């Protein structure tokens, strides 16, 4: 459980509406491009790995960062990503899963849907929604994530 990060930024409203005054900070989503995705990996995910992964294990065990095959995702041999991994002295690789992979689908079905169903996330603004999703993620027990992965593993070994 490394973290959850919204992709976007707060920008001042360009005009007054019935909901807000001009200049009020409003959330604006960013489209996920390769550059945005790469920046998210380098500025958020890798530092979170360094912060949470046991120091003695970082260089010994290979850390696999899984991604699905979305067009906006970077290649496994991305130069900037590899440089960031080397600078942090991690033994990490990027692994792109094949289409319809059980592993990447598990994140959607086993974690995100579970968080959504376990929490009442009714919000009247983007800020409240972002905060409620972060709160739900933070209180979601790590052992439930482990059980989800162990269930997948046992299903795959049976087939």
């Amino acid at each position: 459980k490394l973290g959850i990060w919204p992709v976007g930024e707060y920008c001042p409203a360009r005009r007054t509406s019935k909901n807000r005054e001009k200049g009020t900070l409003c959330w604006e989503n960013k489209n996920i491009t390769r550059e945005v995705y790469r920046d998210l990996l380098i500025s958020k995910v890798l530092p979170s790995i360094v912060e949470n992964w046991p120091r003695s294990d970082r260089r010994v065990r290979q850390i696999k960062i899984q991604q699905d095959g979305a067009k906006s995702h970077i290649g496994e041999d991305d130069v900037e990503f590899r440089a960031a991994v080397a600078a942090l002295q991690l033994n990490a690789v990027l692994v792109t899963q094949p289409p319809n992979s059980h592993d990447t689908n598990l994140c959607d079905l086993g974690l995100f849907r579970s968080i959504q169903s376990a929490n009442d996330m009714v919000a009247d603004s983007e800020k409240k929604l972002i905060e409620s999703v972060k709160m739900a993620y933070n209180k979601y027990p790590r052992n439930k994530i482990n059980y989800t992965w162990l269930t997948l593993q046992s299903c795959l070994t049976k087939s």
Side-chain angles (χ1 to χ4, degrees), residues 35-130:
E35 292 72 28
V36 170
Y37 182 76
R38 180 184 297 113
D39 182 57
L40 182 68
L41 279 175
I42 292 171
S43 66
K44 304 285 188 193
V45 176
L46 291 179
S48 185
I49 290 172
V50 169
E51 183 180 318
N52 292 295
W53 205 273
R55 181 180 299 273
S56 61
D57 209 26
R58 281 187 214 149
R59 287 186 230 156
V60 178
R61 277 194 175 167
Q62 188 176 62
I63 302 166
K64 293 184 179 181
I65 302 171
Q66 293 185 11
Q67 64 179 1
D68 62 18
K71 289 182 181 183
S72 60
H73 291 178
I74 60 176
E76 295 175 5
D77 57 349
D78 185 81
V79 175
E80 290 179 52
F81 177 77
R82 298 295 325 143
V85 167
L88 292 170
Q89 299 179 338
L90 290 174
N91 182 11
V93 295
L94 199 57
V95 179
T96 302
Q97 296 298 314
N100 302 319
S101 167
H102 300 293
D103 288 354
T104 51
N105 196 31
L106 182 72
C107 290
D108 186 36
L109 298 176
L111 176 61
F112 304 132
R113 296 285 185 256
S114 180
I115 289 174
Q116 188 177 23
S117 67
N119 296 279
D120 186 23
M121 291 190 207
V122 177
D124 58 357
S125 72
E126 291 91 350
K127 183 178 181 180
K128 287 181 183 176
L129 180 62
I130 290 168

